[in-house]
Amino acid sequence: MKKRLALAGLLALLSCAQAETLKWGNLTVTVTPRPAENYDAEARAAVKNGNRTVLTVQGWNVAAELQPLRPGGLPELVLSTFSGGAHCCVTYYVFTQDTGSVENLAIIEGGNYGIQFTDLNRDGTKELIFASDNLAYYDWSFAASPALLTVLGWDGVRLADRTRAYASVPAQEAARNLRDLLGGLGKSGALPEELRARLGGYYANMILAGQGRQAEEVLRTQVFTQSAPLRDWFWQHRTGLINATYAQPEGRMQVVKSTLYPHKPDQP
């Protein structure tokens, strides 16, 4: 998968030049961009019921979209903020009206990759695919670092970790890493760090897919027979890779009741 899941979204977010208004049921969402000449200023999204401001989200850049994330009612409002700078950082603020009033459903740290909204089971609501940087700089450069794919989805009560229910998502990413790893083994100019990164990406994504034991057998029969250095590296780092992998996506999500986001502890 490409290094940035939401690159197109970020580019659109960065290119906003004038205020835009989005209708969300009876409410309006107005996004006012940061003045291009003022780097220290912030963009702002205001959700209003007539003249009354219901909530505000601020950030270096802000974008608004509607996504159906829970069944019934209106689609959810997703406000995303980009912090600016290299290797950073997209935060998603998800709101629903289905409870009778505007309510924060989740604040999700999208990190470097952002989120891809996809209806994986074709039930009319979308799941959230996002990637972990847990193996960034593990034993390789950032450019070589593999992405670990996880899934959040509606479980009937809230957004929750649904990765095992959609194991094909990390499994497909694992397959891409394995293909690149096996292809690299046959090239005399392959970089050792790139091979290690593809091995780590394959193994970690297979763990997330619930297929860690199968992955070890594939490595033993298809990879380690061709590369003793990779075999030795894997057994030296196996525990570290496992520990880094088991960081569940729910750990990057919180729910906060506020009228101003990002919320600060001293705010009402």
Side-chain angles (χ1 to χ4, degrees):
M1 116 173 286
K2 292 183 179 180
K3 193 65 176 172
R4 296 291 178 269
L5 285 172
L7 178 58
L10 287 182
L11 292 176
L13 188 153
L14 289 169
S15 64
C16 292
Q18 58 186 0
E20 297 183 354
T21 299
L22 175 71
K23 287 292 293 182
W24 183 36
N26 294 325
L27 305 182
T28 59
V29 184
T30 301
V31 177
T32 305
R34 173 184 56 83
E37 67 278 4
N38 188 350
Y39 190 89
D40 294 327
E42 289 189 313
R44 171 188 173 97
V47 179
K48 291 189 174 184
N49 185 351
N51 293 323
R52 181 175 66 88
T53 299
V54 178
L55 65 91
T56 304
V57 172
Q58 299 177 164
W60 192 75
N61 278 95
V62 182
E65 59 186 309
L66 300 179
Q67 296 285 357
L69 303 181
R70 53 172 286 169
L74 293 170
E76 277 58 56
L77 171 66
V78 180
L79 298 172
S80 53
T81 65
F82 177 55
S83 65
H87 301 334
C88 237
C89 281
V90 189
T91 302
Y92 295 83
Y93 300 86
V94 183
F95 302 93
T96 186
Q97 290 192 55
D98 292 355
T99 58
S101 60
V102 177
E103 191 175 312
N104 179 235
L105 203 60
I107 301 172
I108 304 169
E109 297 300 332
N112 293 299
Y113 294 91
I115 290 175
Q116 179 179 323
F117 299 94
T118 304
D119 187 356
L120 293 172
N121 62 359
R122 300 181 181 179
D123 67 349
T125 62
K126 293 186 179 181
E127 284 69 43
L128 295 74
I129 302 174
F130 65 106
S132 166
D133 268 348
N134 283 13
L135 290 182
Y137 301 108
Y138 180 84
D139 194 22
W140 39 68
S141 66
F142 181 84
S145 298
L148 310 186
L149 299 195
T150 51
V151 180
L152 286 171
W154 189 252
D155 72 349
V157 177
R158 64 185 181 115
L159 291 175
D161 181 8
R162 302 282 287 156
T163 305
R164 288 294 175 89
Y166 301 100
S168 62
V169 172
Q172 288 173 7
E173 183 68 6
R176 283 187 281 268
N177 277 276
L178 180 61
R179 182 184 63 240
D180 293 344
L181 172 59
L182 294 175
L185 286 174
K187 296 180 181 178
S188 59
L191 297 175
E193 77 152 4
E194 183 67 29
L195 296 178
R196 294 194 302 269
R198 301 288 69 76
L199 190 160
Y202 168 67
Y203 185 57
N205 278 292
M206 286 291 278
I207 288 175
L208 291 171
Q211 301 178 48
R213 292 184 63 184
Q214 296 92 318
E216 291 189 3
E217 181 63 15
V218 168
L219 291 173
R220 184 183 68 81
T221 58
Q222 298 186 38
V223 177
F224 300 156
T225 54
Q226 300 185 58
S227 175
L230 282 178
R231 177 199 64 204
D232 295 342
W233 180 88
F234 175 76
W235 289 113
Q236 179 183 356
H237 292 274
R238 178 178 178 272
T239 299
L241 291 171
I242 292 171
N243 289 340
T245 298
Y246 278 110
Q248 297 303 318
E250 289 184 39
R252 297 165 65 180
M253 180 179 70
Q254 60 177 325
V255 177
V256 174
K257 185 175 182 179
S258 180
T259 58
L260 177 62
Y261 300 86
H263 179 77
K264 298 178 181 178
D266 58 348
Q267 290 173 196

